Amino acid sequence: MGSLFRKKGHKNWGINLSVYPHDQEKRTLLLSQAPIAVRKNVLRPTKNYSPQGETLSFSVDNAQNWTVEVISNCSAWPRKLKKEAEQWCFKVPLEGGTTVFIPQFEMARALFFKNVYLSRSCLDHGILDREFGIEYDEFDPEHVTVRVRELTTCADNMFKDYSYRRFLAWVLLDPEARRSYESISRLQINTGNSLGLYQIWDFQFEPPSMRGAMLKVRGNWDRDTNTFFVYEVSGIGNIAANVPEEVDFVSPKFFTLESGGGSSGGGPAERPPEHEVEDESGESKENYPVILQGNATIFEFAKSFNTRKAATKTKKSGNRGDGESTQAPNEVSTEEQGPDGMLPSADWDGLDDQTEDTNLYESRFASFFKMLEILESKHDCEVVKLGTRKLPKIGRCNGHTMRDDCTPRVWTAVKVSFDRASFYLLEVDMSDATKPLSTKVINATVGDKLIEQRIDFETRLLKNSLNWPKAYLDEVCGASNHFFIVHPKTKKTGQIAMDDIERWAANVYRNLLRQR
């Protein structure tokens, strides 16, 4: 990978590449495709390939103390290519004596270049100030509002996805992260060069300190000199987030989906297994972005914080379940749409957020957990909580997020035992729905398999439009081994009065007694 370049008078930056085989036409990538710009990466794979190189993990003391070298000074640099010889690296000495060289572009890709917007915006000086307003709560230091300006170029799918919302909040609100991201455009202005019709720049940036973070890298290890040249930073764990506990994203364009309004017709367009990403064609403004799999970097924050997509407007929605799919074109575009943009827009998914954050959502089961306490105290039951899980994202299904604020939808499982009988109780958070989902009860003698196969169960639940997948449960557990118990009626969704909770506990106990 060589210098970045842009033709004078043009908007888009490109990346010079060295590719193999050498006769390929693809010698450059647009900066918007940075999520896949990884050394030793197959750009258009026709099958699964094993990653090249060895892996290494290490803890970061302070990345701002890393020294800077050109790639050609690294003895583990495997291919002596003139195109990238003068590109900048971070030189990281490890306690065991190994010296790691991390190309600066790769470090920035792993830290920031998760999708099209964050990739191409890094060289748009001042874009974060132009597109987002930050309002701190004078009465609550742990709450902040991010106002998304109406003319933002940030696609709405970034605000619908809680992982990307959290990541964007970190870039906007964490002082070190924001300073680091904005250093990219500042250094380009200060150190870029002109060459004929083009602006040329050897990428560099100022990293955040990342104190205590764990990096997992893949690359070439030269044992003779004990140097390691990084191809890819595949994971960043335990990264600090100096961000308030509650972050609201608001925009005049945001709305909350309301049930009703008839069917939305067919399901989402079925995407072919491969996409041809067009560099020159503009994306169509009429299309929800096709999500393309990039080289997703594992990202884990040291602390969890909650973000919400806050909306004051409502909009009728059709059925969010599956319908007939149509075949979509295999050509897509990652570029901003022009007046003639006709191709479906596309976005990269380069973020694998593995932050442990279920603690943020367990309060949604407060009434359910109170009912379980009554089972223990008044009905002599033993209750074992098996944990709360987020429902996974399945294709373009929206059921894994809440309708009102696009936070994760969670479910919980408990094991209730008494008189040598045991049952699993499953509860799904439906506090955003007009009609709650009844508690599912499964005889524990056959339910172990379901708990072990919970990922498959979650998929079936989502594909069944957040209704219990009866046929699947019949197959796994047996038709006579599962049943449901309805919730008490409530005046307000998700809120159950104490008297009703006690009656709920008594009803649950009666139903379990009948089935033991």
Side-chain angles (χ1 to χ4, degrees), residues 376-389:
E376 289 180 303
S377 61
K378 293 190 175 182
H379 301 283
D380 201 25
C381 294
E382 179 184 350
V383 176
V384 177
K385 294 180 181 179
L386 303 178
T388 299
R389 287 172 56 90

Side-chain angles (χ1 to χ4, degrees), residues 84 86 121 244 250 261 287 328 332 388 400-401 408 410-411 421 430 436 446 482 506:
E84 68 172 4
E86 298 304 311
S121 297
V250 300
N287 292 282
V332 294
T388 299
H400 69 294
T401 58
V410 292
W411 70 285
M430 298 292 288
V446 295
H482 68 91

